[in-house]
Amino acid sequence: MFDFVIVGAGSAGCVLANRLSANPKRKVALLEAGPPRHRSFKVRAPGMYQTLWRSPLDWAFSTEPQVHCDNRRHFWPRGRIVGGSSCLNTNLYIRGHRANYDDWRDRGNHGWGWTDVLPYFLKSEDNERGRSECHGSGGPLHVSDIAAPSSVSRAFVETLAARCKVRITDDFNAGEHEGAGTYQVTVRNGERVSTAVSFLDPVRRRANLSVITDALATSLVLDGQRVTGVRYRARGRDETIEAREVILAGGAIGSPHLLMLSGIGNRDELKQVGVEPRHDLPGVGKNLEDHLLMAVVHEVPTGVFALTKARAIMWVAQHMVARKGPLGSGPVDVGGFVKLLPSAAIPDLQFHFLPWGVGLPTDDNVAIMVGRHVSILPSMIYPKSVGEIRLRSADPMQGPAIDPRYFSDAADLETLVAGIKLSREIAATGPLASVLGKETFPGPAVTSDDALRAAVRKYCNTIFHPTGTCRMGTDGQAVVDPELRVRGLSGIRIADASVMPRIIGGNINAPVIMIAEKAADLVATG
């Protein structure tokens, strides 16, 4: 019998394993469906992340056909590995705007406002800039500056600030992130800092911590309204592990999927796929939100690396030998947050700028643009469209149906169209205009609003930020309460991106780590 069983060793699960096992009197188990491959080269080298897509270390999900995106199935990579998606992401460290968390609090989630959660961001952080009012040092998670953004990237920052009349900032994480500047990343000495490396590895040998890998959770064990354990499949055998409390950390796809497989969810929908309802909780799998982006790609004559196959091989060797070169950093070095409308209360558009040519969409393959290119990626961070996760069948080996319902609210489409227009205005403004060559995507022929809408529907791409499918709240559609306890059940909590009441305005890995840090305190005192 364990005190705690954590299901999922991803961005949240590794944090929970570290914090909960710090008390030697607690017996903690961590279940992970994937292998402990987080020290392999392709994971350690930040610039190799796309080579992990569709590999055995990726769940390689795809959405249902999206009606408003030319019936495309969008590819959703998710880490099936110790460290989860922190082993596959682009390493950006972004917390979001303080108003995001104050909104969570104002929706009835006491204890989740900006001033409540900031201490948990600080607790995790080992920022190379040192300790300050808004940053921590000495925590497990190393956060660093990008050493040398390209000259074209620096020109983008100056131009974005001038065109959108925002400040040039060196810190997007102090609560007010409007501005243009260089991003910070979870990279140290040219290597990826996943939560497996930062939180789990240092405590892996604790006598009270059991890490069980290659173990797929198949259902929860219920005794009436109490969860008493987890069933899982490992090495061809079905096993059961018992615990005083189970904590789901499977993310916005995995956590609702396991609940529904266990008979926890919308009663009528469970019956339709042959699952016996055990606890009627209609919000499970609902409220799915995600960020979308589009691209404007230009050739450049100089100022960035020229990508060739021969050079890519050289970069691999360079990183393997000395942890140097382009593969030692994530693909995004600079960007910003701006308001599309001056009347907006907070920035509603994020820019990712890449000194590479990005090929969209990533539905069928990863397109690498040979040569010298840069990509301006306008990114919609507050979607109005809401989707859901559903069961396909009662078979735990079959993935769930993922339906984000992109552009079901047409306002989201118009946001990305406006983002393309703004990106082109930035590209035509000095100093950036003086260093850019011709636009290669979506191309100079795509000019009318109808043509831009068609291009967005055809090429828009997820930023891989699914949230909200077990959202926190106090209303009838909420799945967990502000203490992250599943409503109507005992012995179970959820701590991952699924509990977000509303998606945050930015990349979600840092907020997920914060949620896990706070969850560990809630569990310890609850």
Side-chain angles (χ1 to χ4, degrees):
M1 168 71 79
F2 286 86
D3 293 294
F4 303 105
V5 171
I6 304 158
V7 182
S11 292
C14 290
V15 177
L16 287 160
N18 177 303
R19 299 309 191 188
L20 293 179
S21 65
N23 183 341
K25 295 181 180 180
R26 298 182 186 133
K27 193 176 179 184
V28 180
L30 177 64
L31 288 180
E32 168 54 42
R37 294 279 306 282
H38 54 284
R39 292 282 184 178
S40 62
F41 169 70
K42 288 184 179 181
V43 176
R44 287 188 291 108
M48 296 291 288
Y49 71 103
Q50 288 189 351
T51 65
L52 297 168
W53 293 359
R54 301 179 178 85
S55 78
L57 305 182
D58 177 17
W59 288 98
F61 293 117
S62 288
T63 70
E64 297 299 288
Q66 295 301 286
V67 174
H68 304 288
C69 294
D70 296 348
N71 283 316
R72 289 164 42 205
R73 291 183 181 270
H74 293 240
F75 170 57
W76 278 21
R78 298 280 89 192
R80 187 185 174 114
I81 179 176
V82 173
S85 295
S86 72
C87 293
L88 277 70
N89 67 5
T90 58
N91 296 98
L92 293 188
Y93 183 81
I94 295 290
R95 295 174 180 169
H97 197 282
R98 68 169 60 238
N100 299 152
Y101 303 99
D102 290 345
D103 176 63
W104 289 10
R105 177 201 61 206
D106 295 344
R107 289 170 181 256
N109 299 295
H110 178 73
W112 290 90
W114 172 254
T115 58
D116 302 307
V117 303
L118 180 59
Y120 293 103
F121 282 116
L122 271 58
K123 182 178 182 180
S124 290
E125 195 178 357
D126 181 26
N127 198 299
E128 71 174 18
R129 300 178 186 179
R131 186 178 302 276
S132 68
E133 182 181 353
C134 292
H135 291 286
S137 64
L141 186 71
H142 187 78
V143 178
S144 64
D145 292 306
I146 293 174
S150 70
S151 60
V152 182
S153 296
R154 296 195 297 272
F156 173 80
V157 169
E158 293 178 27
T159 306
L160 176 62
R163 169 59 186 79
C164 296
K165 296 181 173 57
V166 296
R167 61 178 178 151
I168 293 179
T169 180
D170 67 348
D171 191 354
F172 288 112
N173 291 303
E176 306 285 344
H177 61 200
E178 185 173 19
T182 303
Y183 288 124
Q184 285 201 303
V185 290
T186 50
V187 174
R188 184 172 194 165
N189 298 328
E191 292 194 338
R192 173 184 297 276
V193 180
S194 67
T195 56
V197 168
S198 54
F199 285 90
L200 187 60
D201 281 358
V203 304
R204 181 67 181 82
R205 296 187 181 276
R206 284 177 179 166
N208 63 328
L209 175 61
S210 298
V211 181
I212 306 170
T213 59
D214 298 292
L216 176 68
T218 56
S219 69
L220 300 169
V221 181
L222 279 83
D223 181 5
Q225 297 303 105
R226 179 170 185 81
V227 174
T228 62
V230 181
R231 296 185 184 92
Y232 66 94
R233 189 166 299 167
R235 294 169 291 280
R237 296 178 58 183
D238 291 326
E239 307 280 356
T240 299
I241 188 168
E242 297 182 334
R244 179 167 59 85
E245 185 162 8
V246 173
I247 307 171
L248 302 189
I253 302 171
S255 288
H257 188 214
L258 185 59
L259 288 176
M260 290 185 285
L261 287 170
S262 308
I264 302 167
N266 183 295
R267 180 181 299 274
D268 294 335
E269 293 178 2
L270 294 175
K271 289 179 179 178
Q272 289 173 8
V273 293
V275 172
E276 178 188 355
R278 300 292 300 276
H279 179 59
D280 190 27
L281 201 57
V284 173
K286 311 304 181 187
N287 197 53
L288 174 62
E289 296 183 301
D290 187 28
H291 293 147
L292 286 175
L293 57 71
M294 189 55 183
V296 176
V297 181
H298 282 258
E299 292 180 344
V300 288
T302 187
V304 299
F305 291 109
L307 180 59
T308 64
K309 290 184 178 179
R311 210 165 243 166
I313 294 171
M314 179 188 71
W315 293 340
V316 169
Q318 187 180 18
H319 192 274
M320 292 183 75
V321 172
R323 308 294 186 266
K324 303 290 185 182
L327 298 186
S329 180
V332 183
D333 50 8
V334 303
F337 294 85
V338 302
K339 298 174 181 176
L340 276 174
L341 294 175
S343 59
I346 59 175
D348 53 3
L349 192 75
Q350 180 181 5
F351 279 104
H352 298 81
F353 184 85
L354 282 67
W356 313 97
V358 62
L360 296 182
T362 59
D363 301 348
D364 299 318
N365 53 46
V366 177
I368 302 297
M369 290 189 178
V370 174
R372 286 188 173 91
H373 298 86
V374 297
S375 302
I376 304 173
L377 305 179
S379 309
M380 176 192 66
I381 54 177
Y382 296 116
K384 296 183 183 297
S385 303
V386 178
E388 65 177 355
I389 305 287
R390 301 187 304 274
L391 279 185
R392 293 183 188 277
S393 80
D395 181 1
M397 305 303 290
Q398 185 171 349
I402 301 169
D403 188 2
R405 298 192 184 122
Y406 292 138
F407 304 139
S408 54
D409 190 313
D412 293 341
L413 178 63
E414 299 308 312
T415 294
L416 281 182
V417 168
I420 296 173
K421 292 179 178 178
L422 180 55
S423 298
R424 284 175 163 172
E425 291 175 16
I426 293 166
T429 303
L432 187 60
S434 64
V435 297
L436 294 187
K438 69 178 182 180
E439 180 185 314
T440 60
F441 180 84
V446 181
T447 56
S448 70
D449 283 358
D450 283 346
L452 288 170
R453 292 185 188 106
V456 170
R457 286 191 290 265
K458 185 175 181 179
Y459 296 111
C460 70
N461 208 80
T462 173
I463 318 179
F464 319 115
H465 295 161
T467 67
T469 50
C470 296
R471 73 168 173 84
M472 174 173 34
T474 57
D475 62 284
Q477 283 291 309
V479 176
V480 299
D481 67 15
E483 282 70 47
L484 304 181
R485 299 170 298 202
V486 175
R487 296 174 61 244
L489 295 175
S490 60
I492 181 169
R493 300 187 202 228
I494 306 175
D496 54 34
S498 73
V499 306
M500 292 187 185
R502 182 78 173 92
I503 198 167
I504 66 106
N507 309 76
I508 67 170
N509 194 55
V512 168
I513 293 170
M514 176 277 293
I515 289 168
E517 288 277 24
K518 184 171 172 65
D521 270 6
L522 291 171
V523 169
T525 59

